[in-house]
Amino acid sequence: MLKTKLGDIELDGVFTNGSGANDDSLEKLLQIAGSRAGFVTTKTSTFLPRAGNPGPRFYTLRNTTINSMGLPNPGYKKMAEIIRELKTKTKKPVFASMSGFDAHEAGEMAKALSAADVLELNLSCPNLHGKSQIIYDPEATDEVLKVVKKSTDRKIAVKVAPFLDSDAQLEFCGIAKKRGVDLIIAINTLGNAMYVDADREKIMLKPKWGGIGGEAIRMVGWGNVRRYYEYFKGSIPIVGCGGIFTGKDAFAYALAGASAFACASALYTPEGVNAFARMEKELEEELKKHNYSSLAEAVGKAKEF
Ligand code: DHB
């Protein structure tokens, strides 16, 4: 059984469900709480309830997912109720993923969702067509973080988009440091992607573009995690996310600099939440094989040429 710490949050279990396509009901969240996940992450909620984009909006292809869900969720007020109920039924920390469309909404939501242990600001949903991702706008990111920090005493995690440019990532790092971000969850899906089926000569998502997750983005995940690790030098813990299907994938994320792991694509298989127990066992075996006596010892230890 592996344990880890994210700052002063002690976790009995090193995995969570990356705020996924459909973790918005109490029933699904309880299923995660009952698994070997160390913490539970809700579906991202928004100010108003949303039906999301029209379908088709989700596919898995060769260990890569593409989705254009568009944040279907019951709205933050209902999500706050679900979290309060969940907290009476599990001792595991709950991360409330939330996405305000502006700083005012984010502040209101942060107050209402403070029954959760951590507020995960999803500044990086690629599927809100017509609304650009806040994370790629440094001023908007700074404003949201400033307002949310004032609105709650909960810890703040930021779910970041993949940065494809190192200077842009470093600019975000400066803002996160200035605003006292407590955790980074890296990375969300890579947006602006498309699935074209050549046989059918068809774009397979109704909203055409979507975000990809899974194997295709794992190396971007490692690269982004490493840059955060080198910048923050352990002062802000990192949850690695992107293409984790095995304990060995998670081990590589740890070596890059992650202290815990979020999985989404890996859960959309018949194995479901049982993937957490399997991956934990595999990760324990990797740690043993490489002579680490704890996960913490392996964090950031990828050797360089
Ligand atoms: C959605 C898309 C994502 O890539 C994600 O990580 C969370 C939510 C969405 O469109 O609902």
Side-chain angles (χ1 to χ4, degrees):
M1 300 282 198
L2 283 172
K3 292 178 190 294
T4 191
K5 276 174 81 173
L6 294 173
D8 57 11
I9 306 174
E10 304 209 358
L11 299 170
D12 177 17
V14 301
F15 293 96
T16 191
N17 56 309
S19 178
N22 55 13
D23 307 313
D24 61 354
S25 69
L26 181 62
E27 191 191 2
K28 283 174 195 152
L29 295 168
L30 282 171
Q31 213 192 7
I32 292 154
S35 76
R36 272 304 296 156
F39 54 116
V40 181
T41 307
T42 71
K43 170 78 186 160
T44 302
S45 66
T46 51
F47 198 74
L48 296 174
R50 288 173 58 86
N53 292 326
R57 56 187 190 180
F58 186 93
Y59 294 93
T60 302
L61 299 149
R62 296 188 292 273
N63 276 356
T64 292
T65 56
I66 183 161
N67 88 79
S68 56
M69 302 300 289
L71 296 181
N73 78 92
Y76 79 104
K77 287 185 179 158
K78 176 72 186 166
M79 191 60 84
E81 270 172 40
I82 292 173
I83 292 168
R84 281 193 289 273
E85 179 82 23
L86 180 64
K87 287 294 291 177
T88 67
K89 297 192 155 92
T90 181
K91 292 200 166 58
K92 293 187 179 177
V94 174
F95 284 39
S97 183
M98 53 164 272
S99 172
F101 290 164
D102 57 36
H104 170 74
E105 282 190 8
E108 291 302 302
M109 293 169 74
K111 279 180 218 157
L113 292 166
S114 291
D117 301 270
V118 174
L119 300 183
E120 176 193 290
L121 304 191
N122 181 354
L123 303 184
S124 53
C125 179
N127 295 324
L128 303 170
H129 302 296
K131 283 191 196 304
S132 50
Q133 295 181 51
I134 291 174
I135 195 84
Y136 293 138
D137 178 341
E139 277 175 27
T141 298
D142 188 55
E143 182 65 15
V144 168
L145 289 175
K146 185 175 84 181
V147 172
V148 168
K149 265 289 188 186
K150 275 197 203 136
S151 307
T152 180
D153 58 0
R154 300 285 92 181
K155 290 192 187 307
I156 304 297
V158 178
K159 179 84 172 271
V160 287
F163 278 101
L164 304 183
D165 177 80
S166 55
D167 284 351
Q169 187 178 354
L170 290 170
E171 187 172 8
F172 166 70
C173 288
I175 296 166
K177 191 172 176 182
K178 179 175 98 180
R179 292 293 173 204
V181 166
D182 299 288
L183 293 168
I184 303 260
I185 303 175
I187 54 177
N188 205 330
T189 51
L190 178 64
N192 218 12
M194 185 174 275
Y195 169 23
V196 182
D197 186 306
D199 294 325
R200 290 201 242 180
E201 303 175 49
K202 198 170 174 86
I203 296 168
M204 298 301 287
L205 295 170
K206 176 91 185 268
K208 298 194 278 194
W209 288 272
I212 53 170
E215 201 160 297
I217 65 163
R218 192 188 298 132
M219 287 185 180
V220 183
W222 288 336
N224 277 217
V225 163
R226 184 64 173 197
R227 203 173 298 282
Y228 290 121
Y229 182 75
E230 291 187 0
Y231 184 93
F232 294 117
K233 301 187 171 63
S235 65
I236 300 185
I238 304 154
V239 178
C241 181
I244 299 176
F245 291 89
T246 66
K248 199 166 184 169
D249 297 332
F251 181 55
Y253 264 100
L255 294 171
S259 299
F261 317 98
C263 308
S265 297
L267 303 180
Y268 305 120
T269 67
E271 190 184 25
V273 298
N274 295 325
F276 292 125
R278 171 184 54 78
M279 290 190 289
E280 181 176 37
K281 202 159 149 278
E282 292 166 350
L283 177 55
E284 280 178 307
E285 282 162 15
E286 288 298 324
L287 290 166
K288 208 161 142 198
K289 193 166 105 193
H290 293 267
N291 295 317
Y292 291 106
S293 56
S294 67
L295 173 65
E297 226 176 69
V299 173
K301 291 290 165 51
K303 297 188 214 51
E304 298 175 18
F305 283 105

